[in-house]
Amino acid sequence: MVKYKRIFTIVVDSLGVGALPDSADYGDVGVDTLGHISEQVETFSIPNLQKIGLANLHPLKQVSAVEEPMGYYGYLKEKSLGKDTMTGHWEMMGLHITKPFKTFTETGFPQELLDELSERTGRTIIGNKSSSGTEILEELAEEEIATGHMIVYTSADSVLQICGNEETFGLDELYRCCEIAREITMKDEWKVGRIIARPYVGKKKGEFKRTANRHDYALKPYGKTALDALKIAGYDVISVGKIFDIFDGEGLTESNKSKSSVHGMEQTIDIAKRDFEGLCYTNLVDFDALWGHRRDVQGYAKEIEMFDEKLGELLDVLKDDDLLIITADHGNDPTYIGTDHTREYVPFLAYSPSMTRNGKLETSETFAVIGATIAENFGVKMPEGTIGNSTLEKLL
């Protein structure tokens, strides 16, 4: 028996809620993305998250706990090794990652890797450092256009990114170079989660703009996930945002690209107005990409407030047989040193209009409680080798 006809799982990318016990092993001491944002901003209006129980879970300076939350709330602890997007999402859907994806944030890519990439693409490489996409274009795009050199850079995620001007470098050439990079970085010592083609237009500083022709070359999940199980069983598995890239399309029946986190919520609201049976899985990346990595506390707080406003619109269209789960994939404390993700607990908020109870859940030892709960709801067996126990009986 299906308990809920539709489950909406929204990942507020990087909204951590406090340091994990092993956070110091990752260089993260005393981190708390949500808590520190609340401490440093004067006003913080999140009435819908407050109603569900976020402030009951995690004390906030401006937001009080409510006497009767609308839903259930708890902490999730990451079992896998790492603190990146792919590890977090893959674990949510049942995979235990015991070998972290490679990051080259502090050092840039090894010269041996660059030499092979240069030889096989026929292009001289410039860049090779961690940078934001807009900053690297301001610094090096004019040189790339003038010389035909190739901008290669990374970030705090496990990625190798290549920029190419659509007019002078060409989209086909950019994609060719990225395909070569993907092949090269399948070696264990260089294995990054994603190669990202970053096309742009413009001729001089101040005019460069990235285009919508971005393409990700991701690793496929190391095993079957809850998404595969749902799809095989005939349920809808709809993605919003970069879920498609994170899972390389595996286990999905429909994907929707988002222009922003607000747009991602608008897409989720539109999907909620449709008739389907299964899962809508949404990632809202701006929290991480625009504010966490750039250590912008005010921007991050405003993004949470915009999300909360759209959350109110989503709550208005949820049906009695819908379940909403709100969570995160890692932390990215904008008050912390550096620009890297931070290893933190993530929130687990669950709400349905049909719920008759509410309260705090026990801390889960893994993010995989999400995939296991979704699978049990639809009467689907989790694939062999996955982890996680369902908490569905507590959410009815």
Side-chain angles (χ1 to χ4, degrees), residues 9 21 26 94 117 125 133 136 165 171 185 212 220 228 265 284 297 299-300 345 349 380:
T9 298
Y26 293 78
L117 182 58
I125 292 171
I136 203 82
N165 186 285
L171 272 178
T185 56
K220 289 193 179 297
D228 296 292
M265 282 301 293
L284 306 175
V297 178
Y300 205 130
Y345 290 98
L349 305 178
V380 171

mmCIF file of all heavy atoms in Angstrom, residues 9 21 26 94 117 125 133 136 165 171 185 212 220 228 265 284 297 299-300 345 349 380:
data_model
loop_
_atom_site.group_PDB
_atom_site.id
_atom_site.type_symbol
_atom_site.label_atom_id
_atom_site.label_comp_id
_atom_site.label_asym_id
_atom_site.label_seq_id
_atom_site.Cartn_x
_atom_site.Cartn_y
_atom_site.Cartn_z
ATOM 1 N N THR A 9 11.158 16.014 -2.149
ATOM 2 C CA THR A 9 12.382 16.107 -1.357
ATOM 3 C C THR A 9 13.191 17.288 -1.872
ATOM 4 O O THR A 9 13.634 17.297 -3.021
ATOM 5 C CB THR A 9 13.210 14.817 -1.445
ATOM 6 O OG1 THR A 9 12.437 13.737 -0.915
ATOM 7 C CG2 THR A 9 14.501 14.943 -0.651
ATOM 8 N N PRO A 21 30.765 15.153 14.724
ATOM 9 C CA PRO A 21 31.820 14.772 15.672
ATOM 10 C C PRO A 21 33.207 14.660 15.036
ATOM 11 O O PRO A 21 34.214 14.894 15.709
ATOM 12 C CB PRO A 21 31.339 13.418 16.200
ATOM 13 C CG PRO A 21 29.850 13.475 16.076
ATOM 14 C CD PRO A 21 29.589 14.253 14.820
ATOM 15 N N TYR A 26 38.347 17.122 9.095
ATOM 16 C CA TYR A 26 38.195 17.768 7.788
ATOM 17 C C TYR A 26 38.620 19.236 7.842
ATOM 18 O O TYR A 26 38.394 19.993 6.899
ATOM 19 C CB TYR A 26 36.751 17.666 7.323
ATOM 20 C CG TYR A 26 36.305 16.266 7.002
ATOM 21 C CD1 TYR A 26 35.972 15.359 8.003
ATOM 22 C CD2 TYR A 26 36.225 15.834 5.678
ATOM 23 C CE1 TYR A 26 35.573 14.061 7.708
ATOM 24 C CE2 TYR A 26 35.829 14.537 5.374
ATOM 25 C CZ TYR A 26 35.507 13.659 6.390
ATOM 26 O OH TYR A 26 35.114 12.375 6.086
ATOM 27 N N GLY A 94 20.999 6.054 -0.696
ATOM 28 C CA GLY A 94 21.356 4.705 -0.275
ATOM 29 C C GLY A 94 22.784 4.270 -0.448
ATOM 30 O O GLY A 94 23.138 3.164 -0.013
ATOM 31 N N LEU A 117 46.321 16.414 -20.564
ATOM 32 C CA LEU A 117 45.165 17.131 -21.106
ATOM 33 C C LEU A 117 45.590 18.083 -22.215
ATOM 34 O O LEU A 117 44.931 18.173 -23.259
ATOM 35 C CB LEU A 117 44.468 17.905 -19.983
ATOM 36 C CG LEU A 117 43.205 18.688 -20.366
ATOM 37 C CD1 LEU A 117 42.148 17.761 -20.957
ATOM 38 C CD2 LEU A 117 42.645 19.423 -19.147
ATOM 39 N N ILE A 125 47.281 25.244 -21.426
ATOM 40 C CA ILE A 125 46.346 25.433 -20.310
ATOM 41 C C ILE A 125 46.765 26.628 -19.464
ATOM 42 O O ILE A 125 47.942 26.780 -19.120
ATOM 43 C CB ILE A 125 46.281 24.158 -19.447
ATOM 44 C CG1 ILE A 125 45.607 23.035 -20.249
ATOM 45 C CG2 ILE A 125 45.527 24.419 -18.139
ATOM 46 C CD1 ILE A 125 45.694 21.685 -19.585
ATOM 47 N N GLY A 133 33.558 31.215 -11.155
ATOM 48 C CA GLY A 133 33.484 31.260 -12.610
ATOM 49 C C GLY A 133 33.536 32.660 -13.177
ATOM 50 O O GLY A 133 34.124 32.891 -14.244
ATOM 51 N N ILE A 136 37.309 34.085 -12.769
ATOM 52 C CA ILE A 136 38.302 33.518 -13.680
ATOM 53 C C ILE A 136 38.148 34.088 -15.082
ATOM 54 O O ILE A 136 39.122 34.280 -15.810
ATOM 55 C CB ILE A 136 38.234 31.965 -13.691
ATOM 56 C CG1 ILE A 136 39.570 31.355 -14.162
ATOM 57 C CG2 ILE A 136 37.102 31.450 -14.552
ATOM 58 C CD1 ILE A 136 40.613 31.247 -13.101
ATOM 59 N N ASN A 165 34.959 30.362 -24.932
ATOM 60 C CA ASN A 165 34.127 31.390 -25.555
ATOM 61 C C ASN A 165 33.369 30.774 -26.723
ATOM 62 O O ASN A 165 33.958 30.115 -27.584
ATOM 63 C CB ASN A 165 35.007 32.543 -26.035
ATOM 64 C CG ASN A 165 34.203 33.711 -26.556
ATOM 65 O OD1 ASN A 165 33.657 33.657 -27.653
ATOM 66 N ND2 ASN A 165 34.139 34.773 -25.764
ATOM 67 N N LEU A 171 31.513 25.767 -29.090
ATOM 68 C CA LEU A 171 30.890 24.811 -28.179
ATOM 69 C C LEU A 171 31.354 23.386 -28.433
ATOM 70 O O LEU A 171 31.659 22.639 -27.506
ATOM 71 C CB LEU A 171 29.363 24.868 -28.306
ATOM 72 C CG LEU A 171 28.616 25.871 -27.435
ATOM 73 C CD1 LEU A 171 27.133 25.816 -27.746
ATOM 74 C CD2 LEU A 171 28.864 25.588 -25.955
ATOM 75 N N THR A 185 40.484 11.819 -16.158
ATOM 76 C CA THR A 185 40.260 11.873 -14.711
ATOM 77 C C THR A 185 39.454 10.685 -14.194
ATOM 78 O O THR A 185 38.885 10.745 -13.099
ATOM 79 C CB THR A 185 39.557 13.189 -14.312
ATOM 80 O OG1 THR A 185 38.337 13.319 -15.059
ATOM 81 C CG2 THR A 185 40.446 14.384 -14.572
ATOM 82 N N ALA A 212 23.752 29.384 -21.036
ATOM 83 C CA ALA A 212 22.987 28.224 -20.563
ATOM 84 C C ALA A 212 23.455 26.921 -21.198
ATOM 85 O O ALA A 212 22.872 25.861 -20.947
ATOM 86 C CB ALA A 212 21.503 28.440 -20.861
ATOM 87 N N LYS A 220 28.984 8.202 -12.920
ATOM 88 C CA LYS A 220 27.736 7.528 -12.600
ATOM 89 C C LYS A 220 27.805 7.013 -11.167
ATOM 90 O O LYS A 220 28.884 6.677 -10.676
ATOM 91 C CB LYS A 220 27.482 6.377 -13.577
ATOM 92 C CG LYS A 220 27.120 6.845 -14.985
ATOM 93 C CD LYS A 220 26.582 5.719 -15.834
ATOM 94 C CE LYS A 220 26.206 6.224 -17.221
ATOM 95 N NZ LYS A 220 25.112 7.217 -17.176
ATOM 96 N N ASP A 228 16.697 4.455 -8.859
ATOM 97 C CA ASP A 228 16.587 3.340 -9.811
ATOM 98 C C ASP A 228 15.432 2.420 -9.426
ATOM 99 O O ASP A 228 14.668 1.978 -10.295
ATOM 100 C CB ASP A 228 17.894 2.540 -9.848
ATOM 101 C CG ASP A 228 19.054 3.351 -10.365
ATOM 102 O OD1 ASP A 228 19.059 3.698 -11.544
ATOM 103 O OD2 ASP A 228 19.958 3.649 -9.559
ATOM 104 N N MET A 265 12.372 26.475 -7.062
ATOM 105 C CA MET A 265 11.163 26.376 -6.244
ATOM 106 C C MET A 265 9.913 26.621 -7.083
ATOM 107 O O MET A 265 8.880 25.949 -6.900
ATOM 108 C CB MET A 265 11.230 27.358 -5.082
ATOM 109 C CG MET A 265 12.112 26.896 -3.938
ATOM 110 S SD MET A 265 11.574 25.312 -3.212
ATOM 111 C CE MET A 265 9.997 25.793 -2.485
ATOM 112 N N LEU A 284 18.581 23.003 -4.697
ATOM 113 C CA LEU A 284 18.637 24.461 -4.788
ATOM 114 C C LEU A 284 20.074 24.890 -4.526
ATOM 115 O O LEU A 284 20.521 24.958 -3.386
ATOM 116 C CB LEU A 284 17.683 25.080 -3.769
ATOM 117 C CG LEU A 284 16.229 24.595 -3.839
ATOM 118 C CD1 LEU A 284 15.415 25.203 -2.703
ATOM 119 C CD2 LEU A 284 15.603 24.931 -5.195
ATOM 120 N N VAL A 297 27.514 36.184 4.168
ATOM 121 C CA VAL A 297 26.503 35.860 5.177
ATOM 122 C C VAL A 297 25.170 36.515 4.844
ATOM 123 O O VAL A 297 24.112 35.870 4.913
ATOM 124 C CB VAL A 297 26.980 36.303 6.578
ATOM 125 C CG1 VAL A 297 25.908 36.012 7.623
ATOM 126 C CG2 VAL A 297 28.281 35.610 6.939
ATOM 127 N N GLY A 299 24.010 37.585 1.962
ATOM 128 C CA GLY A 299 23.410 36.991 0.769
ATOM 129 C C GLY A 299 22.780 35.644 1.067
ATOM 130 O O GLY A 299 21.690 35.329 0.577
ATOM 131 N N TYR A 300 23.469 34.847 1.885
ATOM 132 C CA TYR A 300 22.949 33.528 2.260
ATOM 133 C C TYR A 300 21.637 33.685 3.037
ATOM 134 O O TYR A 300 20.648 32.988 2.775
ATOM 135 C CB TYR A 300 23.984 32.786 3.116
ATOM 136 C CG TYR A 300 23.888 31.272 3.079
ATOM 137 C CD1 TYR A 300 25.009 30.488 2.829
ATOM 138 C CD2 TYR A 300 22.672 30.618 3.317
ATOM 139 C CE1 TYR A 300 24.923 29.094 2.803
ATOM 140 C CE2 TYR A 300 22.590 29.236 3.292
ATOM 141 C CZ TYR A 300 23.722 28.480 3.040
ATOM 142 O OH TYR A 300 23.621 27.109 3.012
ATOM 143 N N TYR A 345 26.145 18.271 10.447
ATOM 144 C CA TYR A 345 24.822 17.663 10.422
ATOM 145 C C TYR A 345 23.969 18.430 9.417
ATOM 146 O O TYR A 345 24.227 19.605 9.119
ATOM 147 C CB TYR A 345 24.153 17.771 11.792
ATOM 148 C CG TYR A 345 24.747 16.926 12.882
ATOM 149 C CD1 TYR A 345 25.636 17.473 13.794
ATOM 150 C CD2 TYR A 345 24.388 15.588 13.028
ATOM 151 C CE1 TYR A 345 26.176 16.712 14.820
ATOM 152 C CE2 TYR A 345 24.921 14.807 14.055
ATOM 153 C CZ TYR A 345 25.814 15.373 14.938
ATOM 154 O OH TYR A 345 26.343 14.619 15.947
ATOM 155 N N LEU A 349 13.449 17.868 7.871
ATOM 156 C CA LEU A 349 12.122 18.395 8.176
ATOM 157 C C LEU A 349 11.112 17.643 7.325
ATOM 158 O O LEU A 349 11.324 17.477 6.113
ATOM 159 C CB LEU A 349 12.034 19.889 7.860
ATOM 160 C CG LEU A 349 13.063 20.816 8.513
ATOM 161 C CD1 LEU A 349 12.854 22.250 8.036
ATOM 162 C CD2 LEU A 349 12.986 20.740 10.025
ATOM 163 N N VAL A 380 8.705 -0.316 -2.445
ATOM 164 C CA VAL A 380 9.811 -0.694 -3.325
ATOM 165 C C VAL A 380 10.996 -1.138 -2.482
ATOM 166 O O VAL A 380 11.350 -0.495 -1.489
ATOM 167 C CB VAL A 380 10.224 0.498 -4.213
ATOM 168 C CG1 VAL A 380 11.501 0.200 -4.969
ATOM 169 C CG2 VAL A 380 9.101 0.851 -5.178
#
